[in-house]
Every structure is written in structure tokens, then in C-alpha cells.
Amino acid sequence: MARQPWRPSAETDSPRGRGATRACTTGAEPQPDQSGHLARPTSPSWAAKRARARRPRPHSGRSWAALTYGPVGLIAKRALANDAVDYVRLRAVCREWRRGTEDIPGAQGCLDRRFHPRRWIMLREPPRHGRGARRRRFLNVSTGQCIQMELPELDGRRLLGATAEGLLALLDVSTYVIRLLNPLTRQLVELPSIEPLLSEETRTTISRYGLGYAPTMLVVAKPGDDHWTQVDIGERRLYSAMSFSGRFYCANGRAVMALEAPTGSQPPRLAVVAKITGRVSVIMTDTVHLVESDGNLLLLHRW
């Protein structure tokens, strides 16, 4: 038996779809009454349609995207004080929220401590190849949260280490230029090349194995300098070094010292801030460590 084509009738709804309408169950168009006005059908479905059409929509003022600059700025300020990751996530929500917050500075903003990923460390993992070669995992030491980030800035550079503020120190293997990278904001600042400080043997070692830690020399520089300045560390080698609250600290077997910036004709120098009273082994240099804990600088001595 041949199947008859489907046709909407007075008792059947039309098929759903874009632009489709629902037929009234009365089966007839409304006719004008004696006064010339159209008589409204009394069908329950028609009344339901009218009720849905008149239903008020949610007020736009309750939308999160409609927050004014004042509340957004206050939320952003508190988010940045807690964690720079929260600040970046807040700005990524929508365009209006980005307009109500402060833009992340450019390359020179890499040294802005407000945007440093202080609670995040990059995990050491075996080298990757292919699409995941630029991907690195970072761990929040306070919450245990782990995130992944693509870092194309690692191409052609060796990772020397990380600062206490979470910045990554990178070495360009072709020019020996040092760069500091904020992995969160992707800010990159350039420091002078260390090639004049290296011997031919050291250059060969770097090209093959990377740069090792040799705490027999301390040099300092800031963005814009054309060379590194050597600091006198005395006869003893440095056991540990780190930056804390905008200053550089280091320790040998006798004292903890802070780097004093150059003033006038005076070069940068190390000033003793605390003496180490316990006996420290001259051979085992890994027994003294400077660490940051809950906003305090501590010296750990392993016997």
C-alpha cells in the first residue's frame, strides 16, 4: 500500500523546526464579532502560548558580565593579592571584565612582583618530543592543583633554574644571553650575555650538557645593561642563594649575606645580615639552604 504524504490538519500539530508554527485546535480562523473586533479563541493551547510570550525575561542587570568597573576592579585586586593565576583567569572571562581591570605590563613587567607565580613550581619531567615538547606542568605548592601550559619560549634555550618568585631563567645556547620568563603571563625580559665570563672549556660543556652550578662567582645585571658586574664573594664559596622580597641573599659557611646595590662609584657588594654560629662542613656544601616559608626567610642547616 502506498504511503500517503503527511499533511497538517486542524487537529494535528505541524512538524517542529525553524519557523514552524503550532496549529490552533479550533480549526478555524477567528472571525470578527458584531462590533468589528476579532473574537479571541478560547483554546487552552492558545492561552498557554500567550502566557509564554508575556513571560518576563531575566533582568540584564543581574548578569555577571554587566558588573561595573568598581566591583570588577575590587574583585581583581583581591584575586591578584591571592594568586596571579586567579587574576589571569578573571580577565579571561569576558571583554567587559578585562576593561575593568589593569592590563598586564609588557616585557619590563616581568619584574613586577604582583604578577609573579610565587606559589607555582615547574615539575621536572623527562624530555618530550613532538606536539608536547613545549608543554610543561606546574604545581601549586599551597593547594596541590596542577596545570599545564604551552611555553614556546623554551625553543632553542636551556632551563637554568627557577627563582623563588617562580620566574624561569633561560639560556640561549647560540648567544649565551640570559632571559627571565614569567610562565604565567608569558612576559620575557632579556639580560646580558654571559659569554665573556665563560672559558672555552665551559662553552663546550654547556653546548653538550647544559650549564652546571658552580658557586665560585657572583655576577649581577639588570635589564638594559650591556654586561655583567662581578661581585667579590671572598675566599669561601657560596652554599645557597635566592631572592626574597625584592633582594638577593646568599650564604656561605659563616654568614647569610644580602646584595647591596651600587651607589655612586661604589660597586655592588655583599653585606652580612646574620652570622652562622654552628659548624658547617667545608666539603659537604649541600648542608646549608636558604628557603622561604610563610613569608619568612629561613636558613636550614642539615647536620
Side-chain angles (χ1 to χ4, degrees):
M1 179 182 295
R3 187 174 181 177
Q4 297 295 329
W6 182 88
R7 294 185 179 87
S9 63
E11 294 80 19
T12 310
D13 294 340
S14 61
R16 297 294 180 91
R18 181 174 296 181
T21 58
R22 190 180 184 90
C24 296
T25 58
T26 55
E29 296 291 332
Q31 300 296 327
D33 55 12
Q34 296 180 356
S35 61
H37 295 87
L38 290 177
R40 294 182 177 179
T42 58
S43 168
S45 63
W46 186 90
K49 286 177 59 179
R50 296 292 295 175
R52 289 195 298 268
R54 294 179 179 178
R55 185 178 300 169
R57 296 181 178 181
H59 194 272
S60 59
R62 297 180 180 178
S63 173
W64 282 100
L67 287 177
T68 59
Y69 288 176
V72 172
L74 180 60
I75 296 174
K77 183 178 180 181
R78 295 186 177 181
L80 185 59
N82 178 64
D83 193 341
V85 173
D86 296 338
Y87 184 81
V88 173
R89 289 171 175 170
L90 183 143
R91 284 176 51 86
V93 172
C94 64
R95 183 181 303 175
E96 295 300 324
W97 285 19
R98 285 193 297 273
R99 291 177 179 175
T101 57
E102 180 182 353
D103 292 335
I104 298 177
Q108 296 300 325
C110 182
L111 302 181
D112 192 335
R113 296 171 55 200
R114 297 177 302 165
F115 300 97
H116 289 170
R118 296 177 296 272
R119 302 176 183 175
W120 296 85
I121 58 173
M122 188 173 73
L123 300 179
R124 292 186 177 182
E125 298 178 297
R128 299 181 179 181
H129 304 281
R131 298 180 59 183
R134 301 175 174 178
R135 189 173 305 154
R136 296 295 185 273
R137 292 196 304 166
F138 290 81
L139 174 70
N140 189 311
V141 296
S142 298
T143 64
Q145 181 186 9
C146 189
I147 60 177
Q148 293 190 20
M149 288 185 283
E150 294 283 341
L151 299 177
E153 294 83 2
L154 298 180
D155 292 346
R157 302 182 179 97
R158 293 187 181 273
L159 176 64
L160 302 182
T163 68
E165 295 84 2
L167 303 182
L168 304 181
L170 307 178
L171 171 69
D172 192 310
V173 295
S174 60
T175 62
Y176 299 100
V177 169
I178 302 294
R179 291 179 174 87
L180 294 178
L181 170 67
N182 185 329
L184 176 62
T185 62
R186 308 288 292 278
Q187 297 164 311
L188 195 68
V189 64
E190 185 174 303
L191 297 173
S193 172
I194 62 172
E195 185 176 12
L197 306 174
L198 305 177
S199 63
E200 185 63 32
E201 181 181 358
T202 304
R203 294 192 190 99
T204 304
T205 303
I206 291 176
S207 62
R208 291 181 180 178
Y209 310 107
L211 187 64
Y213 180 63
T216 57
M217 178 187 300
L218 176 62
V219 292
V220 296
K222 63 180 183 299
D225 290 349
D226 57 359
H227 67 279
W228 293 83
T229 301
Q230 187 171 353
V231 180
D232 183 16
I233 63 173
E235 299 179 355
R236 299 180 67 91
R237 61 188 302 168
L238 300 180
Y239 288 8
S240 179
M242 68 172 295
S243 56
F244 176 77
S245 296
R247 299 189 67 185
F248 177 82
Y249 294 87
C250 58
N252 56 22
R254 298 177 179 176
V256 177
M257 299 165 288
L259 179 65
E260 298 288 346
T263 56
S265 60
Q266 296 294 328
R269 64 184 185 89
L270 293 176
V272 176
V273 295
K275 291 185 177 182
I276 300 178
T277 57
R279 184 177 179 180
V280 178
S281 173
V282 180
I283 301 177
M284 300 180 62
T285 58
D286 62 342
T287 58
V288 174
H289 300 276
L290 291 173
V291 296
E292 186 271 339
S293 176
D294 196 20
N296 298 313
L297 179 64
L298 302 180
L299 175 70
L300 299 185
H301 182 199
R302 181 168 60 88
W303 297 91

